[in-house]
Amino acid sequence: MIGTLVPVSVVCLSLAAVVIDLKCRRIPNWLTVPAFGTGITVGWATGGVEGLGASLAGAGLGGLILLWPVLQGGMGGGDLKFQAAIGALMGPAFAAVSFMLAASLGAVIGLAYVAWLTAIRRRPMREALAAKFAYGPALAGGALGALGLGFGL
């Protein structure tokens, strides 16, 4: 049963993050912190010390991947905590795969956003390239894509 609940939790977390990030332009702690705690707890409860280690490694890798962009102001801390929660729930391999998919999806979203700003909104290219967009949908898409590919199942 727990084996099914964790991926379902990732789907619910991802969908909630997308809706909230698009609406509020942030991913709140009340969403990410309980998911992180759930991942750590389930890892420990189902795998003992080894499961706890895998959850912590997933959280660490998920957060570390986004640390530099957050420190540079390119994205918010909610994105980092969302990716860390995904890692805590699913482990380090899943965190890595989901991030690679998210980076690819984020590049496509970013290019589409710049194209929309320049072609439709008639913004200068310099202004369009400096614009920020919600990255939660890309991270969620990466996590859902990794699930769809069978990682973590």
Side-chain angles (χ1 to χ4, degrees):
M1 175 100 134
I2 287 180
T4 304
L5 290 178
V6 173
V8 168
S9 297
V10 169
V11 171
C12 293
L13 173 65
S14 296
L15 294 176
V18 168
V19 170
I20 294 167
D21 200 17
L22 288 175
K23 183 177 179 181
C24 304
R25 301 293 301 235
R26 60 189 316 263
I27 301 174
N29 288 342
W30 61 259
L31 182 65
T32 57
V33 172
F36 175 86
T38 299
I40 299 299
T41 302
V42 169
W44 176 68
T46 60
V49 173
E50 187 175 316
L52 176 62
S55 290
L56 291 173
L61 179 61
L64 188 60
I65 287 170
L66 296 181
L67 183 59
W68 184 252
V70 169
L71 291 175
Q72 296 302 307
M75 65 177 45
D79 296 316
L80 181 148
K81 289 178 270 187
F82 174 69
Q83 186 67 24
I86 293 294
L89 285 162
M90 300 299 290
F94 187 91
V97 170
S98 70
F99 174 73
M100 287 187 281
L101 294 172
S104 299
L105 183 57
V108 171
I109 292 170
L111 289 172
Y113 188 58
V114 167
W116 177 75
L117 286 175
T118 56
I120 306 298
R121 301 287 308 264
R122 302 285 186 211
R123 301 272 172 85
M125 181 62 76
R126 182 179 62 237
E127 183 181 320
L129 290 173
K132 293 184 178 182
F133 65 94
Y135 204 72
L139 293 171
L144 296 176
L147 283 174
L149 292 172
F151 285 89
L153 298 179

